[in-house]
Amino acid sequence: MSTVTFRLLSGISKRLSESLGNDSPNGLPPGSPATVAPQGSNSSWVSEAPVVTLQEPIFLMTSTAQTISGFFVWTALLITCHQIYMHLRYYSSPNEQRHIVRILFIVPIYAFDSWLSLLFFTNEEYYVYFDTVRDCYEAFVIYNFLSLCYEYLGGESAIMAEIRGKPIESSCMYGTCCLWGKTYSIGFLRFCKQATLQFCVVKPLMAVITVILQAFGKYRDGDFNVASGYLYVTIIYNISVSLSLYALFLFYFATRELLIPYNPVLKFFMVKSVIFLSFWQGMLLAILEKCGAIPQISSADFSVGEGTVAAGYQNFIICIEMFFAAIALRHAFTYKVYMDKRLDSYGRCAPMKSISSSLKETMNPGDMVQDAIHNFSPAYQQYTQQSTLERGGGPPLSRSHSNLSTRGDNEKTLLLSSDDEF
């Protein structure tokens, strides 16, 4: 708009205000400019929030931001996809590698989803849908990491053989002070699995509720108003994820000495940092938004609420973080240890499945469904699982004694009775 046109409109507005007197809009005094909330299905209008009239594109809208984030995203995708490919190529321990591949997929999902959300920054609805897909997968990652630790140690029965009856060390620092006087039992393992599985249910449910609230204009990031769904979704989500990560830590606290050969520290740090960092970054940005540090943007073509701006910064940061996460996960879950497991006890190369069949087996959620039934069904509360491999009609072998699974092996699960209570 030219300067002449702007001055002309200002003069007309001023004369109208003077002629209307006290009947000016919103009850404002004569001559005062009326402030109108930006329109939109997800307009993040808060009276205290500053409004920026867009003269030049902000950083998140520039090609520089998209190029920088795209470089880190596509580099992270190349690194992680190559690692996934190598795991599928040397798919010699399916019970372990299916969980590793699922964990590694957090980088492509987080990175590409955040980048797409950044590309559609000016549309206030799209980022909610993109971020919902991303956030649902983190619940799946926590469950698979705990399941991977179970596999490392040979399953429930092998873990119970090592820790059953040992007293739980009471420590306020490690959050076990409330468990004083208790001992490790099958109930302890049940709690760890149930706490992670509940997050796999709660998180997708909250995602569906978020999308519904978004459609009815009842959800906006950073809006802690009691009439907004963001407050309640955040509270439920925070309780659920905290319980899940607490159970994960309790399991590590109980089995840290048994997990030493598998270098668990870096693995635990990476899984918890990726999930916790993204969550607390979002919370920090929401607080900054509430304090008015993040403005909403208004222009002739579109308006972007401060919640969308905060989500844009969050997505840009995640795009960069996933590059470093890809490098760290490459060292934490290396495929090289499985290259040696291709050879059996006679030095022969074990037959390998095709990449497509290995990927299909990895993506099959059947093990998760069976695990949920086993851990939540009252009929199985006092039973531990022990997987065995039957080789061509020979005697069954415990999975803890054999990590090699070939085409001719049939895996079966035995239920061992346990009278422990937690």
Side-chain angles (χ1 to χ4, degrees), residues 54 56-70 115 118-119 121-122 297 302 316:
L54 194 64
E56 295 181 0
I58 66 171
F59 176 72
L60 294 176
M61 299 170 58
T62 62
S63 57
T64 302
Q66 296 175 358
T67 302
I68 293 174
S69 59
W115 192 55
L118 200 59
L119 293 180
F121 172 73
T122 56
I297 302 170
F302 59 86
F316 180 79

Side-chain angles (χ1 to χ4, degrees), residues 156-197:
E156 283 186 352
S157 60
I159 296 172
M160 286 310 304
E162 296 289 340
I163 68 174
R164 177 185 280 114
K166 293 182 179 180
I168 300 177
E169 181 183 349
S170 179
S171 172
C172 294
M173 180 182 298
Y174 296 109
T176 57
C177 53
C178 58
L179 301 178
W180 182 84
K182 294 185 177 293
T183 59
Y184 291 114
S185 65
I186 185 59
F188 172 81
L189 293 185
R190 285 286 176 276
F191 170 77
C192 293
K193 270 292 180 72
Q194 289 172 352
T196 54
L197 285 167

Side-chain angles (χ1 to χ4, degrees), residues 43-301:
S43 177
S44 54
W45 173 255
V46 181
S47 58
E48 307 87 16
V51 181
V52 175
T53 302
L54 194 64
Q55 301 294 337
E56 295 181 0
I58 66 171
F59 176 72
L60 294 176
M61 299 170 58
T62 62
S63 57
T64 302
Q66 296 175 358
T67 302
I68 293 174
S69 59
F71 170 78
F72 282 102
V73 165
W74 286 102
T75 305
L77 288 176
L78 289 175
I79 294 173
T80 306
C81 288
H82 174 263
Q83 186 182 8
I84 292 174
Y85 168 78
M86 296 303 291
H87 270 289
L88 296 176
R89 181 181 179 185
Y90 301 108
Y91 203 61
S92 54
S93 298
N95 294 319
E96 296 177 8
Q97 288 177 280
R98 73 161 62 101
H99 299 297
I100 292 176
V101 171
R102 291 170 179 174
I103 293 171
L104 293 177
F105 264 111
I106 193 173
V107 171
I109 291 175
Y110 263 53
F112 193 67
D113 182 276
S114 299
W115 192 55
L116 281 179
S117 183
L118 200 59
L119 293 180
F120 292 94
F121 172 73
T122 56
N123 191 304
E124 290 205 312
E125 295 182 358
Y126 285 7
Y127 85 94
V128 174
Y129 306 129
F130 287 135
D131 294 355
T132 296
V133 175
R134 180 188 70 199
D135 294 342
C136 283
Y137 197 75
E138 69 183 29
F140 194 47
V141 168
I142 294 177
Y143 163 77
N144 277 282
F145 183 70
L146 181 62
S147 298
L148 175 62
C149 293
Y150 271 59
E151 296 297 335
Y152 279 153
L153 300 179
E156 283 186 352
S157 60
I159 296 172
M160 286 310 304
E162 296 289 340
I163 68 174
R164 177 185 280 114
K166 293 182 179 180
I168 300 177
E169 181 183 349
S170 179
S171 172
C172 294
M173 180 182 298
Y174 296 109
T176 57
C177 53
C178 58
L179 301 178
W180 182 84
K182 294 185 177 293
T183 59
Y184 291 114
S185 65
I186 185 59
F188 172 81
L189 293 185
R190 285 286 176 276
F191 170 77
C192 293
K193 270 292 180 72
Q194 289 172 352
T196 54
L197 285 167
Q198 61 82 24
F199 189 44
C200 294
V201 176
V202 171
K203 185 55 186 177
L205 181 61
M206 289 297 101
V208 172
I209 293 175
T210 298
V211 172
I212 295 175
L213 292 175
Q214 167 76 13
F216 287 93
K218 298 295 184 180
Y219 182 91
R220 182 175 60 80
D221 274 353
D223 186 3
F224 292 96
N225 193 309
V226 293
S228 173
Y230 176 80
L231 174 64
Y232 307 104
V233 170
T234 300
I235 292 174
I236 296 173
Y237 169 75
N238 196 14
I239 294 174
S240 181
V241 70
S242 298
L243 180 62
S244 180
L245 290 174
Y246 176 65
L248 192 63
F249 176 79
L250 283 181
F251 180 81
Y252 171 73
F253 186 75
T255 60
R256 59 189 184 278
E257 295 180 357
L258 302 174
L259 288 169
I260 288 178
Y262 304 98
N263 300 318
V265 177
L266 180 59
K267 295 179 173 66
F268 267 88
F269 176 77
M270 284 309 305
V271 171
K272 297 187 74 171
S273 63
V274 168
I275 295 172
F276 252 146
L277 274 178
S278 62
F279 174 73
W280 287 112
Q281 281 171 182
M283 287 296 296
L284 177 60
L285 288 169
I287 294 173
L288 291 175
E289 171 197 336
K290 189 66 177 177
C291 295
I294 299 177
Q296 50 185 312
I297 302 170
S298 179
S299 73
D301 299 325

